[in-house]
Amino acid sequence: MLCQAVLLLLHCFASLTLGQYDLCKSLVSTDDGAVWEQYACQPKAQSMKDYMRVKVDPPGITCGNPPERFCTLENPYLCSDECDASNSDLAHPPQLMQDRERTGRITYWQTVTWSRYPEPLLANISLAWNKSLELTDDIAITFEYGRPTIMVLDKSMDHGRTWQSYQFYADDCLDAFNMPPKLVRDLLPANITRVICTEQFSRWVGSKNDKNVKFEVRERFAVFAGPRLLNMDSLYTRMESMKGLRDFFTFTNLRLRLLRPALGGTYVQRDNLLKYFYAISNIEVPARCKCNLHASLCLLQEGDLQCQCEHNTTGQDCQRCKKGFKAKSWKAGSYLPTPNGSPNTCAVAGAPMGGGSKCNCNQMGSVHDRCNGTGFCQCKDGATGPKCDDCFPGYYWKQGCYSNVCDEELLLCQNGGTCSQNQKCICPPEFKGVLCQQSRCEGDKACNTACTPHLLAPLLLCVLLPHLLATLTAH
């Protein structure tokens, strides 16, 4: 059983690493010597809260100056707590929204109470990075003492010059925004970028039960990549083909507009306004630097995040060609063809041109980077398409086109083996060979005790991978 498990784990991990675009180039051997092959690449996802700059408005909205008493919705008439900006133990400044809370004590930013009702208690929280970012997981805002009954999440793609609504939140969407309530899971591929109003994060459930307000990214990804996000190639393909999809997850700034605090499931009770306020202990923004698929690293330099650009590109987002290269040849890298994409490297200035320059021949699929008079590139064996970035039937793409090792019609895997992406046969543990045609246990009696002849379908066990890992660890 252990032998089977190890083989399956290796297969599963190999499948899960496809399409991650974490390498920009690789040194390979050719008949002409070692050369660099270039690939589309992107930085790894990380928590961006360490790099964000937080600003709250209006001035004076943060509690503590002057000192103020407050109470909670759970104990509305026990108003013994105090916010005092001059006392570090009682202060609640904005930077506490992004601290790590390593001591175990929850720290949080807090506003003044709603003592000026019926004037609305409004607060804006602006998050800036001075860098284009791409969301990779759910944004999560943790509220203490109750989530707002009405709020809006905005985003900017031009460093705060213009804003657009990202999502609306309310306990009654029709009343607050004249929008019907919707769930992300109800969206379809055709309208996945729709801006919705949701009620699931605004209704009163008690401050200790659920504190988070989310902007759901994973569920949007799952529409294309499946519920476990195992088919990321499908998502990346959609990123290229569906207009506006990549831009939907791109931002330079975020803004929270807090429009009404938690009310405890009732109307505003004017006899005790000290229990109404906003308090945020944490903001998580999982994202990666947007480098236009021209960098695999993004580092903090002179206070700002900076892509470490490849493919003869430069700029904070690798958004232009380096000096000495054709400016008009710049193009963002492409996720296609999967799993390595197209680097779309900037062309050298003054380089010879076949039938013209702005060709962008795929370096792995074409003979050279020049195209003929019709605008088509000269493709290597097995490659096709205007840019030589696709393969003829019977070939598969892996940094160029190669003949299929197996397929569903001509070269079938034997002895129960399964063909993986036309590239290799995944054999049961008791068989080996290109097509699983050779018995692994011939002449080896010990083999039968090491590997049993029965193997569950790899796909099923990949789905059950977490349980398998737990079992192996326990033993």
Side-chain angles (χ1 to χ4, degrees):
M1 180 62 189
L2 182 61
C3 178
Q4 298 172 3
V6 171
L7 289 172
L8 283 172
L9 289 177
L10 291 175
H11 172 56
C12 292
F13 285 135
S15 300
L16 293 174
T17 56
L18 289 177
Q20 295 305 301
Y21 304 95
D22 54 356
L23 282 179
C24 291
K25 59 186 178 182
S26 177
L27 196 61
V28 298
S29 298
T30 69
D31 293 339
D32 299 323
V35 297
W36 287 104
E37 280 192 346
Q38 308 285 330
Y39 319 127
C41 51
Q42 60 188 4
K44 294 186 181 299
Q46 59 181 316
S47 172
M48 290 295 173
K49 79 172 183 178
D50 293 333
Y51 308 107
M52 67 187 182
R53 295 157 189 171
V54 181
K55 178 184 177 184
V56 298
D57 289 305
I61 193 64
T62 300
C63 69
N65 188 19
E68 181 181 16
R69 288 188 307 114
F70 65 94
C71 45
T72 68
L73 291 167
E74 294 176 326
N75 297 295
Y77 296 103
L78 184 63
C79 301
S80 57
D81 294 315
E82 185 178 10
C83 180
D84 185 350
S86 64
N87 184 330
S88 60
D89 292 330
L90 301 177
H92 298 284
Q95 59 263 33
L96 296 183
M97 286 186 273
Q98 62 185 126
D99 65 333
R100 291 290 177 181
E101 300 176 342
R102 292 185 176 89
T103 61
R105 174 174 163 261
I106 295 178
T107 57
Y108 50 90
W109 165 77
Q110 183 176 321
T111 69
V112 297
T113 62
W114 203 0
S115 57
R116 293 185 178 179
Y117 181 87
E119 178 184 326
L121 181 61
L122 306 178
N124 287 343
I125 304 169
S126 300
L127 312 174
W129 286 270
N130 195 30
K131 176 76 183 76
S132 295
L133 305 174
E134 296 175 314
L135 287 172
T136 57
D137 211 327
D138 298 348
I139 297 174
I141 306 105
T142 305
F143 286 87
E144 304 297 327
Y145 305 110
R147 302 177 293 189
T149 54
I150 304 178
M151 66 169 275
V152 182
L153 175 64
D154 299 326
K155 79 163 186 174
S156 173
M157 296 178 65
D158 55 11
H159 305 281
R161 288 186 287 273
T162 62
W163 294 88
Q164 60 194 81
S165 298
Y166 224 177
Q167 190 150 298
F168 297 89
Y169 302 82
D171 60 346
D172 188 330
C173 285
L174 281 173
D175 180 64
F177 300 112
N178 196 29
M179 297 173 67
K182 246 194 168 352
L183 297 173
V184 171
R185 67 177 70 101
D186 295 332
L187 295 176
L188 302 173
N191 66 357
I192 200 66
T193 60
R194 178 177 176 180
V195 176
I196 66 170
C197 179
T198 179
E199 297 178 349
Q200 69 181 117
F201 300 109
S202 303
R203 291 179 171 162
W204 175 252
V205 292
S207 62
K208 293 182 179 179
N209 290 332
D210 199 343
K211 301 179 178 182
N212 284 337
V213 172
K214 292 185 178 182
F215 178 76
E216 296 156 299
V217 173
R218 289 183 68 87
E219 286 205 36
R220 288 178 167 90
F221 286 172
V223 170
F224 306 111
R228 294 178 178 269
L229 303 187
L230 296 179
N231 189 12
M232 291 299 287
D233 283 354
S234 176
L235 173 64
Y236 290 133
T237 299
R238 286 292 188 133
M239 289 283 193
E240 292 292 338
S241 61
M242 185 174 174
K243 185 177 181 181
L245 186 59
R246 283 178 72 176
D247 281 349
F248 181 77
F249 298 106
T250 300
F251 63 98
T252 59
N253 302 63
L254 296 172
R255 180 174 66 188
L256 297 174
R257 286 189 282 142
L258 308 179
L259 304 180
R260 186 191 293 165
L263 302 182
T266 65
Y267 294 102
V268 176
Q269 297 175 333
R270 299 190 60 179
D271 61 332
N272 186 10
L273 297 173
L274 300 183
K275 62 182 178 180
Y276 302 125
F277 54 88
Y278 305 103
I280 296 179
S281 59
N282 192 45
I283 299 178
E284 286 291 346
V285 183
R288 66 165 53 92
C289 290
K290 182 181 178 68
C291 300
N292 287 294
L293 293 177
H294 289 313
S296 60
L297 291 176
C298 185
L299 304 177
L300 195 65
Q301 296 181 338
E302 298 180 0
D304 289 322
L305 289 168
Q306 168 73 53
C307 297
Q308 307 299 294
C309 302
E310 302 278 356
H311 308 153
N312 304 326
T313 63
T314 188
Q316 193 177 21
D317 299 345
C318 306
Q319 75 275 21
R320 62 181 182 271
C321 291
K322 291 169 62 175
K323 187 177 181 180
F325 295 82
K326 296 177 183 177
K328 291 185 178 180
S329 70
W330 184 90
K331 185 179 179 183
S334 172
Y335 286 116
L336 300 178
T338 58
N340 294 105
S342 302
N344 296 332
T345 303
C346 284
V348 179
M353 300 182 299
S357 60
K358 293 66 152 185
C359 296
N360 288 320
C361 299
N362 186 285
Q363 294 186 355
M364 283 81 82
S366 62
V367 176
H368 46 65
D369 60 1
R370 302 184 301 277
C371 51
N372 58 30
T374 64
F376 283 80
C377 303
Q378 182 179 348
C379 299
K380 296 178 181 177
D381 289 344
T384 185
K387 310 296 182 187
C388 303
D389 56 5
D390 201 358
C391 295
F392 281 114
Y395 291 80
Y396 70 94
W397 182 275
K398 186 179 181 182
Q399 304 160 25
C401 293
Y402 297 86
S403 297
N404 288 350
V405 173
C406 55
D407 56 46
E408 295 181 356
E409 296 180 1
L410 300 176
L411 300 173
L412 290 175
C413 301
Q414 301 175 21
N415 296 309
T418 58
C419 186
S420 174
Q421 299 184 341
N422 299 328
Q423 298 177 29
K424 64 179 299 184
C425 289
I426 306 299
C427 303
E430 67 270 25
F431 292 98
K432 62 182 179 179
V434 174
L435 298 176
C436 305
Q437 75 278 13
Q438 184 178 354
S439 173
R440 188 184 298 273
C441 298
E442 286 181 357
D444 188 353
K445 296 181 180 179
C447 186
N448 289 328
T449 61
C451 294
T452 62
H454 302 291
L455 188 63
L456 294 175
L459 180 60
L460 176 61
L461 283 182
C462 278
V463 173
L464 299 176
L465 178 59
H467 305 289
L468 182 61
L469 281 172
T471 301
L472 290 176
T473 304
H475 295 284

